[in-house]
Amino acid sequence: MWRELFDVLTSNDPLEPIAQEFHRMLTVTVEMSTLVKPHVFSHDLSLEARSRVYNLDIEVNKLERSIRKRVITHLSLSGSEVEYCLLLMSIVKDAERIGDYIKNISEVSDLGGSPVPDCSIQTELGELIATAHSMLAATPRIVDEDDNDAAVEQLRIGKNVSKRCDRLLGELAKSDFTVSQTTSLVLLTRFHKRVCGHVMNILSSMVMPLHKVDFVDLKEFENGAA
């Protein structure tokens, strides 16, 4: 599906700017991630960096609206490539939600969270956070190069992150952290799980038919089925 979409975006002049804008959405969210990730446990992101995160999130939102407008205009004028336009509307929303969640991660202290102490749970969560950010950082290249094998590998990794996040939330329910520390750990776990989930939605569009986008059964890719 993605190969056909990529061909449409690069060969049809009215739609070609969408490819550039979607790529920009992904790279902006990666920049947001780079700013926020080193400070997730300490909550010491500077006011300047936070302002930059907010401005980048605004840019992501504007790009989403621009792509939607282009898609609607294209459908109104030509009525062609309907299935690809539906796919675009889906994945640009995922990119926009990634931006929102990264902004939310930068706001955990405002939501009642406090710095997270060194402990085994912090170590586990740190690994999950690093993986989620790594998946996001890899996505622009994977999409640009239409690298299905890399997409499937990242989907496998993402499935594992999701399961580990759920287990970690169960552990937190039985922990003896302070209320503010627990708030931080729970929010960081949930927000990063959602970043990972929306990255997976985008990558699933590369390897799944339209009606199965966002729902990946990795058994379909066993034994080279991908």
Side-chain angles (χ1 to χ4, degrees), residues 26-193:
L26 293 178
T27 57
V28 169
T29 59
V30 171
E31 183 177 350
M32 293 172 69
S33 166
T34 301
L35 286 167
V36 170
K37 180 178 175 291
H39 308 278
V40 292
F41 291 136
S42 60
H43 302 326
D44 59 357
L45 189 68
S46 69
L47 290 176
E48 180 181 1
R50 181 177 288 197
S51 178
R52 177 63 177 159
V53 169
Y54 287 173
N55 288 334
L56 289 170
D57 184 56
I58 290 171
E59 182 179 354
V60 169
N61 295 340
K62 288 180 177 179
L63 287 164
E64 180 195 24
R65 291 194 294 271
S66 175
I67 291 173
R68 283 180 167 181
K69 184 176 180 180
R70 291 182 190 277
V71 169
I72 292 169
T73 299
H74 175 76
L75 288 172
S76 299
L77 294 176
S78 71
S80 61
E81 291 97 19
V82 174
E83 65 273 35
Y84 304 116
C85 290
L86 290 173
L87 179 57
L88 280 167
M89 295 290 262
S90 175
I91 61 177
V92 297
K93 186 61 180 177
D94 284 307
E96 185 271 336
R97 294 303 293 149
I98 291 170
D100 280 349
Y101 277 114
I102 294 175
K103 183 182 71 172
N104 292 156
I105 290 164
S106 76
E107 298 169 332
V108 167
S109 61
D110 298 335
L111 299 173
S114 65
V116 177
D118 290 335
C119 58
S120 60
I121 285 182
Q122 190 221 62
T123 300
E124 168 73 358
L125 179 55
E127 292 176 2
L128 297 176
I129 288 171
T131 303
H133 287 267
S134 176
M135 288 176 63
L136 175 58
T139 297
R141 182 202 65 78
I142 293 172
V143 169
D144 286 349
E145 297 179 8
D146 191 29
D147 189 342
N148 282 15
D149 290 340
V152 171
E153 178 59 26
Q154 292 300 316
L155 289 168
R156 294 185 192 279
I157 292 171
K159 284 279 191 179
N160 181 256
V161 168
S162 181
K163 291 177 181 177
R164 289 172 66 187
C165 283
D166 288 341
R167 286 198 298 269
L168 187 59
L169 288 172
E171 292 180 33
L172 286 170
K174 298 177 287 186
S175 69
D176 57 358
F177 292 105
T178 66
V179 172
S180 59
Q181 289 171 344
T182 301
T183 297
S184 285
L185 287 163
V186 169
L187 290 179
L188 289 172
T189 302
R190 287 294 300 167
F191 291 160
H192 282 92
K193 179 183 177 182

Side-chain angles (χ1 to χ4, degrees), residues 16-26 63 66-67 70:
E16 186 170 356
I18 292 177
Q20 299 168 3
E21 290 183 332
F22 182 63
H23 176 82
R24 177 60 184 164
M25 287 185 79
L26 293 178
L63 287 164
S66 175
I67 291 173
R70 291 182 190 277

